Amino acid sequence: MRRPLFLILTSLLGLLLAGCGALPSLPERPRKAVYQGESFTAEETFSRLFDADVDATCEAARRALLSQGYVISKADGGLVRGNKHFQPEGEVHVEISFNIVCVGDGPKQQIATAYVSAQQDQYALKKNPQAASLGVSALGSISVPLSSTQDSLVKVASETIPAGEFYDRFFTLMQRMLRENTAER
Protein backbone atom coordinates (compact mmCIF):
# COMPACT_ATOMS: atom_id res chain seq x y z
CA MET A 1 0.00 0.00 0.00
CA ARG A 2 2.86 2.37 0.73
CA ARG A 3 4.59 1.81 -2.60
CA PRO A 4 1.68 3.12 -4.79
CA LEU A 5 1.32 6.17 -2.52
CA PHE A 6 5.05 6.88 -2.83
CA LEU A 7 4.86 6.61 -6.64
CA ILE A 8 1.89 8.96 -6.78
CA LEU A 9 3.55 11.55 -4.56
CA THR A 10 6.78 11.32 -6.56
CA SER A 11 4.88 11.77 -9.83
CA LEU A 12 2.97 14.76 -8.46
CA LEU A 13 6.20 16.36 -7.24
CA GLY A 14 7.75 15.83 -10.69
CA LEU A 15 4.76 17.43 -12.40
CA LEU A 16 4.82 20.33 -9.96
CA LEU A 17 8.52 20.98 -10.61
CA ALA A 18 8.01 20.69 -14.38
CA GLY A 19 5.14 23.16 -14.16
CA CYS A 20 7.30 25.68 -12.35
CA GLY A 21 9.61 25.81 -15.34
CA ALA A 22 6.69 26.64 -17.61
CA LEU A 23 5.56 29.64 -15.54
CA PRO A 24 6.23 32.98 -17.18
CA SER A 25 9.19 34.71 -15.60
CA LEU A 26 8.70 38.07 -13.98
CA PRO A 27 10.18 40.97 -15.91
CA GLU A 28 13.49 42.25 -14.54
CA ARG A 29 13.36 45.51 -12.74
CA PRO A 30 15.23 48.09 -14.85
CA ARG A 31 18.55 48.98 -13.27
CA LYS A 32 19.46 52.56 -12.60
CA ALA A 33 22.38 53.68 -14.77
CA VAL A 34 25.51 54.57 -12.83
CA TYR A 35 25.70 58.09 -14.24
CA GLN A 36 22.25 58.84 -12.79
CA GLY A 37 23.81 58.64 -9.32
CA GLU A 38 26.07 61.61 -10.10
CA SER A 39 24.60 64.56 -8.24
CA PHE A 40 27.12 67.27 -9.18
CA THR A 41 26.42 69.09 -5.94
CA ALA A 42 28.62 71.73 -4.39
CA GLU A 43 29.99 69.30 -1.79
CA GLU A 44 33.72 69.57 -1.34
CA THR A 45 34.61 65.92 -0.86
CA PHE A 46 37.26 65.98 -3.58
CA SER A 47 38.70 69.50 -3.22
CA ARG A 48 40.12 71.92 -0.66
CA LEU A 49 41.39 75.48 -0.77
CA PHE A 50 44.91 76.03 0.62
CA ASP A 51 46.59 79.27 1.64
CA ALA A 52 49.62 78.64 -0.60
CA ASP A 53 50.53 78.83 -4.27
CA VAL A 54 50.18 75.93 -6.72
CA ASP A 55 53.76 74.67 -6.33
CA ALA A 56 53.65 74.64 -2.51
CA THR A 57 50.21 72.97 -2.49
CA CYS A 58 51.28 70.20 -4.88
CA GLU A 59 54.53 69.73 -2.95
CA ALA A 60 52.49 69.22 0.23
CA ALA A 61 50.38 66.61 -1.60
CA ARG A 62 53.52 64.84 -2.86
CA ARG A 63 55.03 64.76 0.64
CA ALA A 64 51.75 63.55 2.17
CA LEU A 65 51.69 60.60 -0.24
CA LEU A 66 55.39 59.84 0.27
CA SER A 67 54.96 59.85 4.04
CA GLN A 68 52.36 57.07 3.70
CA GLY A 69 54.44 54.82 1.44
CA TYR A 70 52.97 55.81 -1.92
CA VAL A 71 55.19 55.66 -4.99
CA ILE A 72 55.10 58.91 -6.96
CA SER A 73 54.86 58.43 -10.72
CA LYS A 74 54.45 62.11 -11.66
CA ALA A 75 54.94 65.37 -9.79
CA ASP A 76 55.15 68.49 -11.94
CA GLY A 77 53.06 71.20 -13.54
CA GLY A 78 50.38 71.23 -10.85
CA LEU A 79 49.84 67.47 -11.08
CA VAL A 80 50.79 64.69 -8.65
CA ARG A 81 50.15 60.99 -9.22
CA GLY A 82 51.01 58.20 -6.82
CA ASN A 83 49.98 54.66 -5.98
CA LYS A 84 50.37 52.04 -3.30
CA HIS A 85 49.85 48.28 -3.33
CA PHE A 86 48.19 46.19 -0.63
CA GLN A 87 47.61 42.47 -0.16
CA PRO A 88 44.81 42.14 2.42
CA GLU A 89 44.37 38.39 1.76
CA GLY A 90 46.50 35.65 0.25
CA GLU A 91 45.01 35.77 -3.24
CA VAL A 92 43.67 39.34 -3.27
CA HIS A 93 45.68 42.37 -4.35
CA VAL A 94 44.48 45.99 -4.01
CA GLU A 95 46.02 49.10 -5.53
CA ILE A 96 45.09 52.67 -4.57
CA SER A 97 46.02 55.38 -7.06
CA PHE A 98 45.89 59.10 -6.26
CA ASN A 99 45.47 61.85 -8.82
CA ILE A 100 45.93 65.41 -7.50
CA VAL A 101 45.55 68.57 -9.57
CA CYS A 102 46.52 71.93 -8.05
CA VAL A 103 44.92 75.05 -9.55
CA GLY A 104 45.79 78.64 -8.65
CA ASP A 105 43.04 80.90 -7.33
CA GLY A 106 42.81 84.58 -6.44
CA PRO A 107 43.98 87.65 -8.31
CA LYS A 108 47.70 86.88 -7.91
CA GLN A 109 47.32 83.09 -7.73
CA GLN A 110 48.64 83.15 -4.14
CA ILE A 111 46.12 80.51 -3.02
CA ALA A 112 45.38 77.17 -4.64
CA THR A 113 42.70 74.54 -4.76
CA ALA A 114 43.74 70.90 -4.67
CA TYR A 115 41.41 68.52 -6.50
CA VAL A 116 41.97 64.95 -5.37
CA SER A 117 40.51 61.65 -6.46
CA ALA A 118 41.65 58.19 -5.48
CA GLN A 119 40.84 55.01 -7.31
CA GLN A 120 40.86 51.54 -5.81
CA ASP A 121 41.51 48.58 -8.11
CA GLN A 122 41.08 45.03 -6.81
CA TYR A 123 42.78 42.02 -8.38
CA ALA A 124 42.29 38.32 -7.72
CA LEU A 125 44.66 35.45 -8.39
CA LYS A 126 43.52 33.32 -11.30
CA LYS A 127 45.05 29.90 -11.86
CA ASN A 128 45.31 28.90 -15.50
CA PRO A 129 45.98 25.21 -16.03
CA GLN A 130 48.32 24.49 -18.92
CA ALA A 131 48.75 21.07 -20.49
CA ALA A 132 51.27 19.74 -22.98
CA SER A 133 52.10 16.32 -24.29
CA LEU A 134 55.39 14.73 -25.17
CA GLY A 135 55.47 12.44 -28.17
CA VAL A 136 58.30 9.99 -28.92
CA SER A 137 58.28 9.23 -32.64
CA ALA A 138 60.81 6.37 -32.56
CA LEU A 139 58.51 4.33 -30.33
CA GLY A 140 55.32 5.25 -32.09
CA SER A 141 52.66 7.57 -30.84
CA ILE A 142 53.34 7.46 -27.15
CA SER A 143 52.27 10.64 -25.37
CA VAL A 144 53.03 11.55 -21.79
CA PRO A 145 50.79 14.31 -20.45
CA LEU A 146 52.60 17.18 -18.75
CA SER A 147 50.66 19.78 -16.82
CA SER A 148 51.41 22.94 -14.91
CA THR A 149 49.57 25.94 -13.56
CA GLN A 150 50.29 29.55 -14.39
CA ASP A 151 49.05 32.17 -11.91
CA SER A 152 48.03 35.66 -12.97
CA LEU A 153 46.31 38.64 -11.37
CA VAL A 154 43.00 39.62 -12.93
CA LYS A 155 41.26 42.94 -12.21
CA VAL A 156 37.89 42.14 -10.63
CA ALA A 157 36.79 45.58 -9.40
CA SER A 158 37.62 49.26 -9.84
CA GLU A 159 36.02 52.32 -8.31
CA THR A 160 36.70 55.90 -7.32
CA ILE A 161 36.84 56.00 -3.54
CA PRO A 162 33.76 58.02 -2.49
CA ALA A 163 34.40 58.24 1.28
CA GLY A 164 34.61 61.81 2.51
CA GLU A 165 36.47 60.77 5.69
CA PHE A 166 39.22 59.24 3.55
CA TYR A 167 39.79 62.56 1.77
CA ASP A 168 39.45 64.55 5.01
CA ARG A 169 42.37 62.59 6.48
CA PHE A 170 44.43 63.19 3.35
CA PHE A 171 43.69 66.94 3.29
CA THR A 172 44.55 67.20 7.01
CA LEU A 173 47.92 65.53 6.34
CA MET A 174 48.45 67.83 3.34
CA GLN A 175 47.79 70.87 5.55
CA ARG A 176 50.34 69.60 8.09
CA MET A 177 52.93 69.05 5.34
CA LEU A 178 52.25 72.54 4.01
CA ARG A 179 52.79 74.07 7.48
CA GLU A 180 56.02 72.09 7.96
CA ASN A 181 57.32 73.04 4.52
CA THR A 182 56.47 76.72 5.08
CA ALA A 183 58.19 76.68 8.49
CA GLU A 184 61.40 75.38 6.86
CA ARG A 185 61.63 78.45 4.59
Side-chain angles (χ1 to χ4, degrees):
M1 182 87 178
R2 290 186 153 207
R3 181 128 174 100
L5 182 60
F6 175 75
L7 289 174
I8 292 172
L9 288 176
T10 305
S11 298
L12 286 174
L13 182 61
L15 287 172
L16 181 64
L17 289 175
C20 287
L23 290 176
S25 60
L26 296 174
E28 278 191 37
R29 197 182 302 164
R31 294 183 184 187
K32 187 176 178 181
V34 173
Y35 67 85
Q36 290 179 341
E38 287 292 321
S39 60
F40 291 106
T41 60
E43 295 173 7
E44 294 191 17
T45 300
F46 301 99
S47 66
R48 288 292 190 289
L49 186 64
F50 290 92
D51 191 15
D53 63 14
V54 169
D55 293 337
T57 301
C58 269
E59 177 61 16
R62 185 182 75 85
R63 288 179 183 224
L65 290 176
L66 285 171
S67 75
Q68 301 302 305
Y70 283 79
V71 176
I72 305 301
S73 59
K74 183 173 176 87
D76 62 358
L79 178 65
V80 178
R81 287 193 180 124
N83 58 7
K84 185 176 179 180
H85 302 269
F86 304 86
Q87 190 166 358
E89 297 173 26
E91 296 185 357
V92 175
H93 175 84
V94 176
E95 179 180 359
I96 296 179
S97 302
F98 267 85
N99 190 50
I100 301 136
V101 177
C102 303
V103 178
D105 288 320
K108 295 182 181 175
Q109 307 291 301
Q110 68 267 45
I111 58 175
T113 300
Y115 296 93
V116 179
S117 66
Q119 179 176 325
Q120 177 176 295
D121 296 329
Q122 185 173 346
Y123 299 85
L125 190 63
K126 181 179 179 186
K127 298 179 182 291
N128 297 321
Q130 295 180 336
S133 61
L134 176 64
V136 181
S137 61
L139 299 173
S141 61
I142 297 175
S143 295
V144 178
L146 303 172
S147 65
S148 66
T149 304
Q150 181 181 8
D151 296 341
S152 60
L153 287 174
V154 177
K155 187 186 281 191
V156 294
S158 182
E159 73 170 328
T160 299
I161 298 173
E165 304 85 32
F166 174 82
Y167 294 102
D168 288 342
R169 292 190 308 266
F170 178 74
F171 287 127
T172 299
L173 181 57
M174 250 184 88
Q175 186 66 49
R176 191 184 101 206
M177 293 295 173
L178 189 59
R179 277 193 310 269
E180 289 175 6
N181 196 21
T182 307
E184 292 174 4
R185 292 182 183 179

